[in-house]
Amino acid sequence: MCSCEEQFGTHYLPHQLRESYCADTNSHVAVTIGFQRDVCRECRGLPIHSFPVAEIHGRTTKIKRYYWRELLKRELELYGEWAAVHGVNPLIASDDAANAARQSAAEQALQEVKRLHETNPKYTFIPEPSQADIISECDVEVVSLQAMYVSDPANRRVRLMWQDQAINVEDFAQLHFRNEGYDSIALESIPFHVLFGIFMWPVIQDPDDERLEVCCFGDRQAYNDGEAGEIIRCHKPDDFGKPGYAKRRKEAIEEHFFESVDADNLEWLFEYWLEPSEKLRQYLWAHRAADIEKAQRLIRILPGEVLIAILRYLVDSYWERYLGWPDLLIFRDDDYFFAEVKSSKDKLSIEQKRWISDNHKALKLPFKLVKIHKLR
């Protein structure tokens, strides 16, 4: 660790100074020689590398994604100043006053970093492919529809008129394709998590895996029901979901697909493994009955080889690939395609663009982008 961060680290993050880990494998690494001079690129006078974090709710701007370390450091410093004045420990304070002070510190840190970037930028924002780039590069078919948009103050989501009823964009697309003779399922990501949990639990929770550990969390269904629930103890590898896991367990994964997951027998296997996979599915938030039913329908609609290709895609790097799946599956007889539905002003998220790119390169599932424009 670089000595330029010693004062900050020892004061605000002492619990992070004894151990680090490899992001690719989640392997823990002991820190043995502590802080040393001229370790970081900035202290050595070299160009600073940027490591933008993922775009999530509340963290969509490039300032927040690129300057996440600077924001955290300045927020903790400002919050620490408040804590010193009020005689509280910033590492454990959690009352309303402390929470308000932390929020105020975060807002001030954001304004300071914005001014820093305007006057003396630390990072150069890497251009990301636009929606138009992804559509062109991945040869995405765009289905253009038109609808009358209506305002709905009680609902933040875009509302469209279908006959005399106000509905959301996904429902509008489903009704459109129903008129074309298709059936549909509203999907997004969770039904695929159900499939993953059910078909992959024997290898994920293999007792012969030396890196298996126990993780504890609250009962997801009880949480959904607004209840406290019991603590669930679930076995999983400590590197689960990382690219390194698939590399480390390559032989076991291949043996699992060869011996257990039969493309012609997935429906029976789904029922057989539904109960023993429950704890892993709860860990993945893939426990709700409605999502289980959708996953079961996917088995009846999609070819077994396609489902196995999806499982392989997910196990190679689960945490990088579990988001961004399309809104709908549209199908009729042996014809099917996945569809992402967007309103006139809505744009593809980073996860959705990544999925479309991955699908074009690897999965090769039939896919269409449905754009619903305002009727003029």
PDB file of all heavy atoms in Angstrom, residues 189-190 192-194 196-197 204 240-243 245-246 280 283-286 311-323 325 354:
ATOM      1  N   SER A 189     -34.336 -10.732 -15.650  1.00  0.00           N
ATOM      2  CA  SER A 189     -33.228 -11.626 -15.301  1.00  0.00           C
ATOM      3  C   SER A 189     -33.590 -12.794 -14.391  1.00  0.00           C
ATOM      4  O   SER A 189     -33.005 -13.869 -14.496  1.00  0.00           O
ATOM      5  CB  SER A 189     -32.117 -10.810 -14.622  1.00  0.00           C
ATOM      6  OG  SER A 189     -31.665  -9.772 -15.465  1.00  0.00           O
ATOM      7  N   ILE A 190     -34.540 -12.619 -13.482  1.00  0.00           N
ATOM      8  CA  ILE A 190     -34.700 -13.573 -12.375  1.00  0.00           C
ATOM      9  C   ILE A 190     -35.054 -14.990 -12.815  1.00  0.00           C
ATOM     10  O   ILE A 190     -34.531 -15.956 -12.248  1.00  0.00           O
ATOM     11  CB  ILE A 190     -35.705 -13.029 -11.342  1.00  0.00           C
ATOM     12  CG1 ILE A 190     -35.154 -11.736 -10.732  1.00  0.00           C
ATOM     13  CG2 ILE A 190     -35.949 -14.042 -10.233  1.00  0.00           C
ATOM     14  CD1 ILE A 190     -36.035 -11.099  -9.693  1.00  0.00           C
ATOM     15  N   PHE A 192     -33.941 -16.635 -15.169  1.00  0.00           N
ATOM     16  CA  PHE A 192     -32.675 -17.276 -15.529  1.00  0.00           C
ATOM     17  C   PHE A 192     -31.865 -17.616 -14.287  1.00  0.00           C
ATOM     18  O   PHE A 192     -31.118 -18.596 -14.269  1.00  0.00           O
ATOM     19  CB  PHE A 192     -31.884 -16.382 -16.479  1.00  0.00           C
ATOM     20  CG  PHE A 192     -32.582 -16.151 -17.786  1.00  0.00           C
ATOM     21  CD1 PHE A 192     -33.253 -14.975 -18.033  1.00  0.00           C
ATOM     22  CD2 PHE A 192     -32.598 -17.141 -18.756  1.00  0.00           C
ATOM     23  CE1 PHE A 192     -33.915 -14.761 -19.232  1.00  0.00           C
ATOM     24  CE2 PHE A 192     -33.262 -16.945 -19.961  1.00  0.00           C
ATOM     25  CZ  PHE A 192     -33.921 -15.756 -20.197  1.00  0.00           C
ATOM     26  N   HIS A 193     -32.011 -16.812 -13.232  1.00  0.00           N
ATOM     27  CA  HIS A 193     -31.366 -17.138 -11.970  1.00  0.00           C
ATOM     28  C   HIS A 193     -31.988 -18.400 -11.380  1.00  0.00           C
ATOM     29  O   HIS A 193     -31.281 -19.208 -10.752  1.00  0.00           O
ATOM     30  CB  HIS A 193     -31.510 -15.993 -10.970  1.00  0.00           C
ATOM     31  CG  HIS A 193     -31.019 -14.679 -11.479  1.00  0.00           C
ATOM     32  ND1 HIS A 193     -31.248 -13.498 -10.805  1.00  0.00           N
ATOM     33  CD2 HIS A 193     -30.337 -14.341 -12.601  1.00  0.00           C
ATOM     34  CE1 HIS A 193     -30.716 -12.498 -11.491  1.00  0.00           C
ATOM     35  NE2 HIS A 193     -30.153 -12.995 -12.577  1.00  0.00           N
ATOM     36  N   VAL A 194     -33.299 -18.559 -11.541  1.00  0.00           N
ATOM     37  CA  VAL A 194     -33.966 -19.779 -11.083  1.00  0.00           C
ATOM     38  C   VAL A 194     -33.375 -20.997 -11.790  1.00  0.00           C
ATOM     39  O   VAL A 194     -33.016 -21.991 -11.150  1.00  0.00           O
ATOM     40  CB  VAL A 194     -35.483 -19.696 -11.333  1.00  0.00           C
ATOM     41  CG1 VAL A 194     -36.151 -21.025 -10.965  1.00  0.00           C
ATOM     42  CG2 VAL A 194     -36.118 -18.562 -10.541  1.00  0.00           C
ATOM     43  N   PHE A 196     -30.513 -21.278 -13.243  1.00  0.00           N
ATOM     44  CA  PHE A 196     -29.119 -21.460 -12.827  1.00  0.00           C
ATOM     45  C   PHE A 196     -29.057 -22.157 -11.474  1.00  0.00           C
ATOM     46  O   PHE A 196     -28.285 -23.104 -11.288  1.00  0.00           O
ATOM     47  CB  PHE A 196     -28.417 -20.101 -12.770  1.00  0.00           C
ATOM     48  CG  PHE A 196     -26.965 -20.192 -12.397  1.00  0.00           C
ATOM     49  CD1 PHE A 196     -26.007 -20.438 -13.358  1.00  0.00           C
ATOM     50  CD2 PHE A 196     -26.566 -20.043 -11.076  1.00  0.00           C
ATOM     51  CE1 PHE A 196     -24.667 -20.532 -13.017  1.00  0.00           C
ATOM     52  CE2 PHE A 196     -25.228 -20.135 -10.723  1.00  0.00           C
ATOM     53  CZ  PHE A 196     -24.275 -20.375 -11.698  1.00  0.00           C
ATOM     54  N   GLY A 197     -29.849 -21.676 -10.511  1.00  0.00           N
ATOM     55  CA  GLY A 197     -29.824 -22.271  -9.178  1.00  0.00           C
ATOM     56  C   GLY A 197     -30.224 -23.729  -9.184  1.00  0.00           C
ATOM     57  O   GLY A 197     -29.604 -24.575  -8.516  1.00  0.00           O
ATOM     58  N   ILE A 204     -22.127 -26.183  -7.772  1.00  0.00           N
ATOM     59  CA  ILE A 204     -21.832 -24.982  -6.975  1.00  0.00           C
ATOM     60  C   ILE A 204     -21.652 -25.353  -5.503  1.00  0.00           C
ATOM     61  O   ILE A 204     -20.768 -24.826  -4.822  1.00  0.00           O
ATOM     62  CB  ILE A 204     -22.965 -23.944  -7.122  1.00  0.00           C
ATOM     63  CG1 ILE A 204     -23.129 -23.488  -8.578  1.00  0.00           C
ATOM     64  CG2 ILE A 204     -22.717 -22.739  -6.205  1.00  0.00           C
ATOM     65  CD1 ILE A 204     -21.948 -22.773  -9.149  1.00  0.00           C
ATOM     66  N   PHE A 240     -17.375 -17.856  -5.688  1.00  0.00           N
ATOM     67  CA  PHE A 240     -18.552 -18.037  -6.541  1.00  0.00           C
ATOM     68  C   PHE A 240     -18.841 -16.778  -7.358  1.00  0.00           C
ATOM     69  O   PHE A 240     -18.808 -15.666  -6.846  1.00  0.00           O
ATOM     70  CB  PHE A 240     -19.782 -18.372  -5.693  1.00  0.00           C
ATOM     71  CG  PHE A 240     -21.068 -18.307  -6.473  1.00  0.00           C
ATOM     72  CD1 PHE A 240     -21.367 -19.299  -7.394  1.00  0.00           C
ATOM     73  CD2 PHE A 240     -21.946 -17.250  -6.325  1.00  0.00           C
ATOM     74  CE1 PHE A 240     -22.548 -19.235  -8.135  1.00  0.00           C
ATOM     75  CE2 PHE A 240     -23.114 -17.178  -7.056  1.00  0.00           C
ATOM     76  CZ  PHE A 240     -23.414 -18.176  -7.964  1.00  0.00           C
ATOM     77  N   GLY A 241     -19.172 -16.978  -8.618  1.00  0.00           N
ATOM     78  CA  GLY A 241     -19.566 -15.871  -9.484  1.00  0.00           C
ATOM     79  C   GLY A 241     -18.427 -15.134 -10.138  1.00  0.00           C
ATOM     80  O   GLY A 241     -18.652 -14.311 -11.020  1.00  0.00           O
ATOM     81  N   LYS A 242     -17.203 -15.410  -9.730  1.00  0.00           N
ATOM     82  CA  LYS A 242     -16.040 -14.757 -10.310  1.00  0.00           C
ATOM     83  C   LYS A 242     -15.541 -15.557 -11.524  1.00  0.00           C
ATOM     84  O   LYS A 242     -15.736 -16.777 -11.601  1.00  0.00           O
ATOM     85  CB  LYS A 242     -14.914 -14.661  -9.277  1.00  0.00           C
ATOM     86  CG  LYS A 242     -15.262 -13.861  -8.030  1.00  0.00           C
ATOM     87  CD  LYS A 242     -15.288 -12.384  -8.326  1.00  0.00           C
ATOM     88  CE  LYS A 242     -15.464 -11.572  -7.055  1.00  0.00           C
ATOM     89  NZ  LYS A 242     -15.389 -10.127  -7.322  1.00  0.00           N
ATOM     90  N   PRO A 243     -14.875 -14.889 -12.477  1.00  0.00           N
ATOM     91  CA  PRO A 243     -14.313 -15.641 -13.612  1.00  0.00           C
ATOM     92  C   PRO A 243     -13.356 -16.741 -13.174  1.00  0.00           C
ATOM     93  O   PRO A 243     -13.281 -17.797 -13.795  1.00  0.00           O
ATOM     94  CB  PRO A 243     -13.592 -14.558 -14.424  1.00  0.00           C
ATOM     95  CG  PRO A 243     -14.256 -13.278 -14.045  1.00  0.00           C
ATOM     96  CD  PRO A 243     -14.662 -13.438 -12.615  1.00  0.00           C
ATOM     97  N   TYR A 245     -13.615 -18.675 -10.674  1.00  0.00           N
ATOM     98  CA  TYR A 245     -14.310 -19.881 -10.223  1.00  0.00           C
ATOM     99  C   TYR A 245     -14.479 -20.867 -11.373  1.00  0.00           C
ATOM    100  O   TYR A 245     -14.205 -22.070 -11.229  1.00  0.00           O
ATOM    101  CB  TYR A 245     -15.678 -19.528  -9.641  1.00  0.00           C
ATOM    102  CG  TYR A 245     -16.530 -20.755  -9.397  1.00  0.00           C
ATOM    103  CD1 TYR A 245     -16.309 -21.573  -8.296  1.00  0.00           C
ATOM    104  CD2 TYR A 245     -17.532 -21.123 -10.299  1.00  0.00           C
ATOM    105  CE1 TYR A 245     -17.055 -22.724  -8.087  1.00  0.00           C
ATOM    106  CE2 TYR A 245     -18.285 -22.266 -10.100  1.00  0.00           C
ATOM    107  CZ  TYR A 245     -18.050 -23.063  -8.990  1.00  0.00           C
ATOM    108  OH  TYR A 245     -18.786 -24.204  -8.799  1.00  0.00           O
ATOM    109  N   ALA A 246     -14.940 -20.377 -12.520  1.00  0.00           N
ATOM    110  CA  ALA A 246     -15.153 -21.264 -13.669  1.00  0.00           C
ATOM    111  C   ALA A 246     -13.844 -21.892 -14.132  1.00  0.00           C
ATOM    112  O   ALA A 246     -13.828 -23.054 -14.558  1.00  0.00           O
ATOM    113  CB  ALA A 246     -15.810 -20.492 -14.807  1.00  0.00           C
ATOM    114  N   LEU A 280     -29.673 -22.177  -2.293  1.00  0.00           N
ATOM    115  CA  LEU A 280     -28.892 -21.432  -3.278  1.00  0.00           C
ATOM    116  C   LEU A 280     -29.782 -20.440  -4.016  1.00  0.00           C
ATOM    117  O   LEU A 280     -29.373 -19.302  -4.261  1.00  0.00           O
ATOM    118  CB  LEU A 280     -28.225 -22.385  -4.263  1.00  0.00           C
ATOM    119  CG  LEU A 280     -27.396 -21.711  -5.381  1.00  0.00           C
ATOM    120  CD1 LEU A 280     -26.260 -20.887  -4.779  1.00  0.00           C
ATOM    121  CD2 LEU A 280     -26.858 -22.749  -6.354  1.00  0.00           C
ATOM    122  N   TYR A 283     -30.357 -17.468  -1.916  1.00  0.00           N
ATOM    123  CA  TYR A 283     -29.164 -16.618  -1.958  1.00  0.00           C
ATOM    124  C   TYR A 283     -29.160 -15.748  -3.210  1.00  0.00           C
ATOM    125  O   TYR A 283     -28.767 -14.583  -3.174  1.00  0.00           O
ATOM    126  CB  TYR A 283     -27.914 -17.497  -1.900  1.00  0.00           C
ATOM    127  CG  TYR A 283     -26.617 -16.748  -2.108  1.00  0.00           C
ATOM    128  CD1 TYR A 283     -26.122 -15.894  -1.129  1.00  0.00           C
ATOM    129  CD2 TYR A 283     -25.889 -16.901  -3.289  1.00  0.00           C
ATOM    130  CE1 TYR A 283     -24.932 -15.207  -1.321  1.00  0.00           C
ATOM    131  CE2 TYR A 283     -24.707 -16.225  -3.488  1.00  0.00           C
ATOM    132  CZ  TYR A 283     -24.229 -15.376  -2.503  1.00  0.00           C
ATOM    133  OH  TYR A 283     -23.058 -14.692  -2.706  1.00  0.00           O
ATOM    134  N   LEU A 284     -29.634 -16.303  -4.331  1.00  0.00           N
ATOM    135  CA  LEU A 284     -29.666 -15.587  -5.610  1.00  0.00           C
ATOM    136  C   LEU A 284     -30.944 -14.775  -5.799  1.00  0.00           C
ATOM    137  O   LEU A 284     -31.132 -14.189  -6.857  1.00  0.00           O
ATOM    138  CB  LEU A 284     -29.538 -16.584  -6.769  1.00  0.00           C
ATOM    139  CG  LEU A 284     -28.293 -17.467  -6.794  1.00  0.00           C
ATOM    140  CD1 LEU A 284     -28.374 -18.465  -7.946  1.00  0.00           C
ATOM    141  CD2 LEU A 284     -27.034 -16.620  -6.908  1.00  0.00           C
ATOM    142  N   TRP A 285     -31.802 -14.706  -4.786  1.00  0.00           N
ATOM    143  CA  TRP A 285     -33.101 -14.030  -4.876  1.00  0.00           C
ATOM    144  C   TRP A 285     -33.944 -14.639  -6.011  1.00  0.00           C
ATOM    145  O   TRP A 285     -34.663 -13.937  -6.719  1.00  0.00           O
ATOM    146  CB  TRP A 285     -32.942 -12.521  -5.079  1.00  0.00           C
ATOM    147  CG  TRP A 285     -32.427 -11.804  -3.877  1.00  0.00           C
ATOM    148  CD1 TRP A 285     -31.119 -11.563  -3.574  1.00  0.00           C
ATOM    149  CD2 TRP A 285     -33.190 -11.274  -2.791  1.00  0.00           C
ATOM    150  NE1 TRP A 285     -31.016 -10.904  -2.381  1.00  0.00           N
ATOM    151  CE2 TRP A 285     -32.273 -10.700  -1.875  1.00  0.00           C
ATOM    152  CE3 TRP A 285     -34.548 -11.202  -2.502  1.00  0.00           C
ATOM    153  CZ2 TRP A 285     -32.684 -10.077  -0.699  1.00  0.00           C
ATOM    154  CZ3 TRP A 285     -34.966 -10.578  -1.336  1.00  0.00           C
ATOM    155  CH2 TRP A 285     -34.034 -10.030  -0.442  1.00  0.00           C
ATOM    156  N   ALA A 286     -33.855 -15.938  -6.170  1.00  0.00           N
ATOM    157  CA  ALA A 286     -34.580 -16.647  -7.227  1.00  0.00           C
ATOM    158  C   ALA A 286     -35.544 -17.651  -6.594  1.00  0.00           C
ATOM    159  O   ALA A 286     -35.568 -18.825  -6.961  1.00  0.00           O
ATOM    160  CB  ALA A 286     -33.600 -17.349  -8.157  1.00  0.00           C
ATOM    161  N   LEU A 311     -26.787 -21.584 -19.295  1.00  0.00           N
ATOM    162  CA  LEU A 311     -26.153 -21.984 -18.030  1.00  0.00           C
ATOM    163  C   LEU A 311     -24.635 -21.859 -18.117  1.00  0.00           C
ATOM    164  O   LEU A 311     -23.986 -21.378 -17.176  1.00  0.00           O
ATOM    165  CB  LEU A 311     -26.539 -23.418 -17.682  1.00  0.00           C
ATOM    166  CG  LEU A 311     -28.017 -23.690 -17.393  1.00  0.00           C
ATOM    167  CD1 LEU A 311     -28.247 -25.178 -17.179  1.00  0.00           C
ATOM    168  CD2 LEU A 311     -28.503 -22.896 -16.188  1.00  0.00           C
ATOM    169  N   ARG A 312     -24.059 -22.279 -19.219  1.00  0.00           N
ATOM    170  CA  ARG A 312     -22.611 -22.167 -19.399  1.00  0.00           C
ATOM    171  C   ARG A 312     -22.175 -20.703 -19.410  1.00  0.00           C
ATOM    172  O   ARG A 312     -21.133 -20.347 -18.840  1.00  0.00           O
ATOM    173  CB  ARG A 312     -22.187 -22.853 -20.695  1.00  0.00           C
ATOM    174  CG  ARG A 312     -22.234 -24.383 -20.642  1.00  0.00           C
ATOM    175  CD  ARG A 312     -21.712 -24.975 -21.939  1.00  0.00           C
ATOM    176  NE  ARG A 312     -21.633 -26.421 -21.906  1.00  0.00           N
ATOM    177  CZ  ARG A 312     -20.632 -27.114 -21.387  1.00  0.00           C
ATOM    178  NH1 ARG A 312     -19.609 -26.462 -20.841  1.00  0.00           N
ATOM    179  NH2 ARG A 312     -20.630 -28.431 -21.418  1.00  0.00           N
ATOM    180  N   TYR A 313     -22.951 -19.876 -20.073  1.00  0.00           N
ATOM    181  CA  TYR A 313     -22.644 -18.450 -20.131  1.00  0.00           C
ATOM    182  C   TYR A 313     -22.639 -17.845 -18.730  1.00  0.00           C
ATOM    183  O   TYR A 313     -21.732 -17.071 -18.375  1.00  0.00           O
ATOM    184  CB  TYR A 313     -23.678 -17.765 -21.017  1.00  0.00           C
ATOM    185  CG  TYR A 313     -23.669 -16.258 -20.989  1.00  0.00           C
ATOM    186  CD1 TYR A 313     -22.684 -15.531 -21.648  1.00  0.00           C
ATOM    187  CD2 TYR A 313     -24.662 -15.553 -20.310  1.00  0.00           C
ATOM    188  CE1 TYR A 313     -22.679 -14.144 -21.633  1.00  0.00           C
ATOM    189  CE2 TYR A 313     -24.669 -14.163 -20.290  1.00  0.00           C
ATOM    190  CZ  TYR A 313     -23.686 -13.466 -20.945  1.00  0.00           C
ATOM    191  OH  TYR A 313     -23.688 -12.093 -20.924  1.00  0.00           O
ATOM    192  N   LEU A 314     -23.626 -18.196 -17.915  1.00  0.00           N
ATOM    193  CA  LEU A 314     -23.725 -17.630 -16.574  1.00  0.00           C
ATOM    194  C   LEU A 314     -22.616 -18.144 -15.654  1.00  0.00           C
ATOM    195  O   LEU A 314     -22.024 -17.365 -14.898  1.00  0.00           O
ATOM    196  CB  LEU A 314     -25.089 -17.954 -15.967  1.00  0.00           C
ATOM    197  CG  LEU A 314     -26.279 -17.161 -16.512  1.00  0.00           C
ATOM    198  CD1 LEU A 314     -27.591 -17.719 -15.987  1.00  0.00           C
ATOM    199  CD2 LEU A 314     -26.154 -15.679 -16.146  1.00  0.00           C
ATOM    200  N   VAL A 315     -22.310 -19.429 -15.701  1.00  0.00           N
ATOM    201  CA  VAL A 315     -21.344 -19.977 -14.764  1.00  0.00           C
ATOM    202  C   VAL A 315     -19.937 -19.456 -15.043  1.00  0.00           C
ATOM    203  O   VAL A 315     -19.093 -19.416 -14.134  1.00  0.00           O
ATOM    204  CB  VAL A 315     -21.369 -21.523 -14.789  1.00  0.00           C
ATOM    205  CG1 VAL A 315     -20.641 -22.091 -16.000  1.00  0.00           C
ATOM    206  CG2 VAL A 315     -20.799 -22.091 -13.486  1.00  0.00           C
ATOM    207  N   ASP A 316     -19.669 -19.026 -16.259  1.00  0.00           N
ATOM    208  CA  ASP A 316     -18.334 -18.510 -16.580  1.00  0.00           C
ATOM    209  C   ASP A 316     -18.010 -17.221 -15.826  1.00  0.00           C
ATOM    210  O   ASP A 316     -16.836 -16.941 -15.560  1.00  0.00           O
ATOM    211  CB  ASP A 316     -18.205 -18.261 -18.088  1.00  0.00           C
ATOM    212  CG  ASP A 316     -17.862 -19.526 -18.849  1.00  0.00           C
ATOM    213  OD1 ASP A 316     -17.503 -20.525 -18.191  1.00  0.00           O
ATOM    214  OD2 ASP A 316     -17.957 -19.533 -20.086  1.00  0.00           O
ATOM    215  N   SER A 317     -19.022 -16.425 -15.490  1.00  0.00           N
ATOM    216  CA  SER A 317     -18.779 -15.189 -14.742  1.00  0.00           C
ATOM    217  C   SER A 317     -20.123 -14.645 -14.268  1.00  0.00           C
ATOM    218  O   SER A 317     -20.628 -13.646 -14.778  1.00  0.00           O
ATOM    219  CB  SER A 317     -18.054 -14.154 -15.613  1.00  0.00           C
ATOM    220  OG  SER A 317     -17.666 -13.033 -14.860  1.00  0.00           O
ATOM    221  N   TYR A 318     -20.705 -15.312 -13.287  1.00  0.00           N
ATOM    222  CA  TYR A 318     -22.100 -15.047 -12.912  1.00  0.00           C
ATOM    223  C   TYR A 318     -22.350 -13.587 -12.548  1.00  0.00           C
ATOM    224  O   TYR A 318     -23.303 -12.975 -13.032  1.00  0.00           O
ATOM    225  CB  TYR A 318     -22.506 -15.954 -11.742  1.00  0.00           C
ATOM    226  CG  TYR A 318     -23.963 -15.817 -11.371  1.00  0.00           C
ATOM    227  CD1 TYR A 318     -24.937 -16.548 -12.037  1.00  0.00           C
ATOM    228  CD2 TYR A 318     -24.366 -14.951 -10.360  1.00  0.00           C
ATOM    229  CE1 TYR A 318     -26.272 -16.428 -11.706  1.00  0.00           C
ATOM    230  CE2 TYR A 318     -25.695 -14.819 -10.021  1.00  0.00           C
ATOM    231  CZ  TYR A 318     -26.646 -15.554 -10.693  1.00  0.00           C
ATOM    232  OH  TYR A 318     -27.974 -15.411 -10.365  1.00  0.00           O
ATOM    233  N   TRP A 319     -21.512 -13.014 -11.691  1.00  0.00           N
ATOM    234  CA  TRP A 319     -21.797 -11.662 -11.202  1.00  0.00           C
ATOM    235  C   TRP A 319     -21.640 -10.598 -12.290  1.00  0.00           C
ATOM    236  O   TRP A 319     -22.153  -9.497 -12.151  1.00  0.00           O
ATOM    237  CB  TRP A 319     -20.909 -11.321 -10.009  1.00  0.00           C
ATOM    238  CG  TRP A 319     -21.208 -12.143  -8.791  1.00  0.00           C
ATOM    239  CD1 TRP A 319     -20.306 -12.843  -8.044  1.00  0.00           C
ATOM    240  CD2 TRP A 319     -22.481 -12.365  -8.169  1.00  0.00           C
ATOM    241  NE1 TRP A 319     -20.938 -13.485  -7.015  1.00  0.00           N
ATOM    242  CE2 TRP A 319     -22.265 -13.206  -7.059  1.00  0.00           C
ATOM    243  CE3 TRP A 319     -23.776 -11.935  -8.448  1.00  0.00           C
ATOM    244  CZ2 TRP A 319     -23.308 -13.627  -6.226  1.00  0.00           C
ATOM    245  CZ3 TRP A 319     -24.812 -12.360  -7.617  1.00  0.00           C
ATOM    246  CH2 TRP A 319     -24.575 -13.185  -6.524  1.00  0.00           C
ATOM    247  N   GLU A 320     -20.931 -10.893 -13.354  1.00  0.00           N
ATOM    248  CA  GLU A 320     -20.820  -9.952 -14.468  1.00  0.00           C
ATOM    249  C   GLU A 320     -21.955 -10.117 -15.472  1.00  0.00           C
ATOM    250  O   GLU A 320     -22.170  -9.241 -16.305  1.00  0.00           O
ATOM    251  CB  GLU A 320     -19.473 -10.138 -15.190  1.00  0.00           C
ATOM    252  CG  GLU A 320     -18.263  -9.720 -14.371  1.00  0.00           C
ATOM    253  CD  GLU A 320     -16.972  -9.923 -15.145  1.00  0.00           C
ATOM    254  OE1 GLU A 320     -17.014 -10.537 -16.231  1.00  0.00           O
ATOM    255  OE2 GLU A 320     -15.916  -9.458 -14.652  1.00  0.00           O
ATOM    256  N   ARG A 321     -22.682 -11.243 -15.409  1.00  0.00           N
ATOM    257  CA  ARG A 321     -23.626 -11.571 -16.467  1.00  0.00           C
ATOM    258  C   ARG A 321     -25.059 -11.798 -16.002  1.00  0.00           C
ATOM    259  O   ARG A 321     -25.918 -12.123 -16.809  1.00  0.00           O
ATOM    260  CB  ARG A 321     -23.136 -12.840 -17.191  1.00  0.00           C
ATOM    261  CG  ARG A 321     -21.800 -12.629 -17.878  1.00  0.00           C
ATOM    262  CD  ARG A 321     -21.255 -13.916 -18.469  1.00  0.00           C
ATOM    263  NE  ARG A 321     -20.063 -13.641 -19.282  1.00  0.00           N
ATOM    264  CZ  ARG A 321     -19.382 -14.556 -19.941  1.00  0.00           C
ATOM    265  NH1 ARG A 321     -19.771 -15.830 -19.893  1.00  0.00           N
ATOM    266  NH2 ARG A 321     -18.324 -14.231 -20.647  1.00  0.00           N
ATOM    267  N   TYR A 322     -25.324 -11.612 -14.717  1.00  0.00           N
ATOM    268  CA  TYR A 322     -26.659 -11.952 -14.234  1.00  0.00           C
ATOM    269  C   TYR A 322     -27.679 -10.839 -14.462  1.00  0.00           C
ATOM    270  O   TYR A 322     -28.887 -11.068 -14.327  1.00  0.00           O
ATOM    271  CB  TYR A 322     -26.598 -12.347 -12.755  1.00  0.00           C
ATOM    272  CG  TYR A 322     -26.508 -11.191 -11.781  1.00  0.00           C
ATOM    273  CD1 TYR A 322     -27.569 -10.908 -10.926  1.00  0.00           C
ATOM    274  CD2 TYR A 322     -25.367 -10.402 -11.683  1.00  0.00           C
ATOM    275  CE1 TYR A 322     -27.498  -9.874 -10.011  1.00  0.00           C
ATOM    276  CE2 TYR A 322     -25.282  -9.376 -10.785  1.00  0.00           C
ATOM    277  CZ  TYR A 322     -26.350  -9.111  -9.952  1.00  0.00           C
ATOM    278  OH  TYR A 322     -26.275  -8.075  -9.048  1.00  0.00           O
ATOM    279  N   LEU A 323     -27.224  -9.659 -14.858  1.00  0.00           N
ATOM    280  CA  LEU A 323     -28.133  -8.552 -15.152  1.00  0.00           C
ATOM    281  C   LEU A 323     -28.175  -8.272 -16.656  1.00  0.00           C
ATOM    282  O   LEU A 323     -27.323  -8.725 -17.410  1.00  0.00           O
ATOM    283  CB  LEU A 323     -27.688  -7.289 -14.413  1.00  0.00           C
ATOM    284  CG  LEU A 323     -27.758  -7.322 -12.893  1.00  0.00           C
ATOM    285  CD1 LEU A 323     -27.217  -6.025 -12.320  1.00  0.00           C
ATOM    286  CD2 LEU A 323     -29.176  -7.573 -12.407  1.00  0.00           C
ATOM    287  N   TRP A 325     -30.695  -8.949 -18.879  1.00  0.00           N
ATOM    288  CA  TRP A 325     -31.467  -9.844 -19.741  1.00  0.00           C
ATOM    289  C   TRP A 325     -32.719  -9.152 -20.263  1.00  0.00           C
ATOM    290  O   TRP A 325     -33.252  -8.251 -19.622  1.00  0.00           O
ATOM    291  CB  TRP A 325     -31.816 -11.120 -18.977  1.00  0.00           C
ATOM    292  CG  TRP A 325     -30.604 -11.955 -18.721  1.00  0.00           C
ATOM    293  CD1 TRP A 325     -29.649 -11.736 -17.755  1.00  0.00           C
ATOM    294  CD2 TRP A 325     -30.180 -13.102 -19.455  1.00  0.00           C
ATOM    295  NE1 TRP A 325     -28.661 -12.683 -17.841  1.00  0.00           N
ATOM    296  CE2 TRP A 325     -28.963 -13.545 -18.870  1.00  0.00           C
ATOM    297  CE3 TRP A 325     -30.700 -13.809 -20.519  1.00  0.00           C
ATOM    298  CZ2 TRP A 325     -28.268 -14.646 -19.341  1.00  0.00           C
ATOM    299  CZ3 TRP A 325     -30.016 -14.930 -20.994  1.00  0.00           C
ATOM    300  CH2 TRP A 325     -28.818 -15.322 -20.405  1.00  0.00           C
ATOM    301  N   ARG A 354     -24.187  -4.631 -22.618  1.00  0.00           N
ATOM    302  CA  ARG A 354     -23.244  -5.737 -22.491  1.00  0.00           C
ATOM    303  C   ARG A 354     -23.905  -7.053 -22.872  1.00  0.00           C
ATOM    304  O   ARG A 354     -23.317  -7.882 -23.585  1.00  0.00           O
ATOM    305  CB  ARG A 354     -22.706  -5.821 -21.056  1.00  0.00           C
ATOM    306  CG  ARG A 354     -21.770  -6.996 -20.869  1.00  0.00           C
ATOM    307  CD  ARG A 354     -21.738  -7.499 -19.445  1.00  0.00           C
ATOM    308  NE  ARG A 354     -22.991  -7.477 -18.761  1.00  0.00           N
ATOM    309  CZ  ARG A 354     -23.962  -8.383 -18.908  1.00  0.00           C
ATOM    310  NH1 ARG A 354     -23.825  -9.371 -19.759  1.00  0.00           N
ATOM    311  NH2 ARG A 354     -25.070  -8.295 -18.205  1.00  0.00           N
TER     312      ARG A 354
END
